[in-house]
């Protein structure tokens, strides 16, 4: 804990001058930070919010939302911005940035090495927070020799039985193409063509009658536990928690795991811009990101944080080098441009 605090203070000092002067200048200041509630927000509170307040003297008022862009737009348009920092998921963050609802980040003010964030750091309106993944899970007690690749999800002869899938195009269209032989790095290139979209839906046709559709993350592990499905798409954190808290013998198959990144972003017109920058500098630094993994199995975005993660925890993270190499990396621009059309087609396909 002492080491954690010392590293946090050092990073904060780089971003905002000395800790003493920051406390003197900003005593009594506070930020309103909005995230997704639940286990994630509780984990952020322990790993990021409380240590930041201790290091900076800046108090945090928490809020919760469900990613509603309309709420942010209303604040920005009316110049009544009361949310200083948001935890925004990938497509939501990129959409708000494209619509001019977020501050463009000056990375020089953060004293963070942007290169340490890899490709996800090539986003102009925020700092990457953490990555979760949609994976395929199964019960080892009921299926000792489980699926090894995303193709097995579509192989009803080798694995007869029901499959659980999220009720939407993501990542089902991508997985369908991978299972149909498209190299994972070419998935979005193929999906950008009408022929590619047709190909993905044809592959989904092959398992449509064997799918149980879920709409909330908690449903996936429950379907598995109840034996309603042989395997299911699920959020990696839900499966890890089910194993640890309920003693289930669930196993994760990581092939083509669909990674999804969250970003710390600042609504345009935040009245506390300087303090918001201090928080982004802290939240993007290695130690707080590594500390987050102690509470929830989401991977850090800062590559230097991986070396600080407990080795026992690494086994549960979606972005270790080995898993990152076989992951499906979301193309946020693709879904900004094509998401509405694909969602409409998916709804029509389901109704047939």
């Amino acid at each position: 804990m002492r080491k954690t605090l010392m590293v946090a203070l050092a990073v904060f000092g780089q971003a905002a001058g000395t800790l003493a002067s920051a406390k003197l200048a900003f005593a009594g200041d506070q930020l309103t930070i909005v995230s997704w509630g639940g286990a994630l927000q509780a984990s952020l509170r322990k790993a990021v919010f409380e240590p930041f307040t201790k290091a900076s003297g800046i108090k945090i008022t928490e809020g919760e939302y469900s990613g509603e862009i309309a709420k942010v737009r209303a604040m920005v348009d009316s110049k009544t911005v009361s949310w200083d920092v948001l935890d925004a998921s990938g497509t939501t963050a990129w959409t708000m940035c494209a619509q001019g609802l977020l501050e463009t980040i000056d990375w020089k003010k953060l004293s963070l090495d942007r290169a340490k964030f890899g490709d996800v750091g090539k986003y102009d309106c925020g700092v990457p927070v953490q990555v979760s993944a949609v994976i395929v899970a199964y019960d080892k007690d009921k299926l000792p020799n489980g699926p090894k690749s995303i193709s097995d999800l579509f192989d009803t002869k080798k694995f007869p039985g029901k499959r659980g899938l999220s009720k939407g195009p993501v990542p089902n269209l991508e997985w369908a193409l991978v299972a149909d032989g498209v190299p994972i790095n070419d998935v979005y290139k193929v999906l950008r063509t009408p022929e590619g979209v047709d190909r993905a839906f044809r592959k989904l046709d092959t398992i449509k009658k064997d799918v149980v559709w879920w709409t909330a993350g908690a449903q996936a592990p429950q379907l598995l536990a109840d034996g309603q499905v042989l395997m299911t798409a699920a959020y990696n954190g839900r499966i890890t928690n089910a194993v640890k808290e309920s003693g289930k013998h669930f196993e994760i198959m990581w092939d083509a795991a669909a990674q999804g990144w969250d970003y710390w972003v600042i609504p345009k017109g935040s009245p506390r811009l300087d303090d918001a920058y201090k928080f982004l500098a802290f939240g993007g630094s290695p130690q707080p990101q590594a500390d987050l993994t102690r509470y929830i199995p989401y991977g850090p975005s800062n590559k230097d944080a991986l070396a600080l993660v407990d080795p026992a925890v690494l086994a549960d993270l979606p972005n270790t080098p080995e898993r990152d190499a076989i992951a499906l990396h979301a193309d946020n621009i693709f879904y900004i441009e094509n998401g509405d059309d694909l969602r409409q087609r998916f709804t029509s396909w389901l109704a047939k």
Side-chain angles (χ1 to χ4, degrees):
M1 183 64 188
R2 179 177 177 83
K3 180 181 177 182
T4 298
L5 181 57
M6 289 179 69
V7 173
L9 291 179
V11 172
F12 179 81
Q14 290 178 340
T18 66
L19 180 62
S21 64
K23 285 188 173 180
L24 178 63
F26 299 104
D29 275 15
Q30 66 178 23
L31 288 170
T32 297
I33 301 180
V34 179
S35 186
W36 302 88
L40 174 58
Q41 190 142 339
S43 301
L44 288 169
R45 185 179 305 124
K46 295 175 183 176
V48 187
F49 298 164
E50 292 175 355
F52 172 74
T53 294
K54 187 172 183 179
S56 68
I58 300 171
K59 296 179 181 179
I60 290 176
T61 299
E62 295 183 33
E64 298 180 13
Y65 80 141
S66 299
E68 303 96 330
I69 294 176
K71 288 186 177 181
V72 180
R73 184 182 297 110
M75 288 184 187
V76 173
D77 288 349
S78 63
K79 301 187 185 305
T80 57
V81 175
S82 58
W83 292 352
D84 301 304
V85 176
L86 305 181
D87 175 4
S89 61
T91 302
T92 300
W94 281 75
T95 299
M96 289 193 292
C97 187
Q99 294 179 0
L101 301 178
L102 303 176
E103 296 285 346
T104 300
I105 299 302
D106 181 353
W107 279 75
K108 293 179 181 178
K109 293 182 179 180
L110 296 175
S111 296
L112 292 171
D113 183 353
R114 194 171 186 176
K116 295 294 184 180
F117 296 85
D119 286 344
V120 294
K122 298 174 182 177
Y123 171 65
D124 293 332
C125 294
V127 173
V129 185
Q130 45 78 15
V131 60
S132 59
V134 179
I135 47 78
V136 174
Y138 62 96
D139 190 333
K140 288 189 294 184
D141 290 341
K142 299 173 183 176
L143 193 64
N145 188 21
K148 302 297 188 294
S149 72
I150 209 68
S151 296
D152 289 337
L153 178 68
F154 289 80
D155 192 338
T156 56
K157 292 183 178 179
K158 184 178 180 181
F159 294 100
K162 296 291 185 180
R163 284 99 163 98
L165 290 178
S166 173
K167 195 175 184 180
V170 186
N172 298 317
L173 297 179
E174 291 94 326
W175 280 355
L177 289 179
V178 173
D180 203 44
V182 175
I184 200 164
N185 292 331
D186 292 339
V187 163
Y188 290 104
K189 178 182 177 181
V190 174
L191 265 185
R192 279 187 164 88
T193 67
E195 297 80 11
V197 174
D198 290 344
R199 181 178 176 180
F201 278 103
R202 282 198 303 271
K203 188 66 175 178
L204 284 174
D205 281 336
T206 65
I207 61 169
K208 186 177 181 180
K209 64 182 178 60
D210 296 301
V211 174
V212 176
W213 302 100
W214 53 263
T215 56
Q219 292 175 275
Q222 194 61 53
L223 288 171
L224 206 56
D226 293 343
Q228 295 185 53
V229 296
L230 185 71
M231 61 184 78
T232 185
Y235 296 112
N236 73 289
R238 295 280 186 175
I239 297 302
T240 299
N241 288 342
V243 171
K244 291 183 176 180
E245 297 175 7
S246 304
K248 301 297 183 183
H249 292 163
F250 294 164
E251 186 75 17
I252 291 176
M253 193 276 294
W254 291 99
D255 182 52
Q259 290 185 354
W261 292 90
D262 276 17
Y263 297 83
W264 293 124
V265 300
I266 305 172
K268 200 168 191 67
S270 167
R272 302 179 180 88
L273 188 59
D274 288 343
D275 284 356
Y277 261 93
K278 293 180 179 66
F279 178 80
L280 264 60
F282 186 91
S285 59
Q287 192 66 58
Q289 291 205 352
D291 288 343
L292 183 64
T293 66
R294 295 162 49 200
Y295 306 105
I296 197 165
Y298 292 165
S301 60
N302 190 320
K303 296 184 185 303
D304 285 347
L306 281 173
L308 306 176
V309 174
D310 184 334
V313 175
L314 279 175
D316 298 326
L317 302 187
N319 66 326
T320 60
E322 297 79 11
R323 289 173 185 161
D324 194 58
I326 59 173
L328 174 72
H329 300 108
D331 187 332
N332 294 303
I333 297 298
F334 172 81
Y335 274 102
I336 290 174
E337 296 172 347
N338 302 283
D340 289 342
D341 290 342
L342 290 178
R343 282 185 285 271
Q344 290 176 13
R345 178 159 179 182
F346 186 86
T347 300
S348 299
W349 174 80
L350 274 182
K352 292 180 182 178

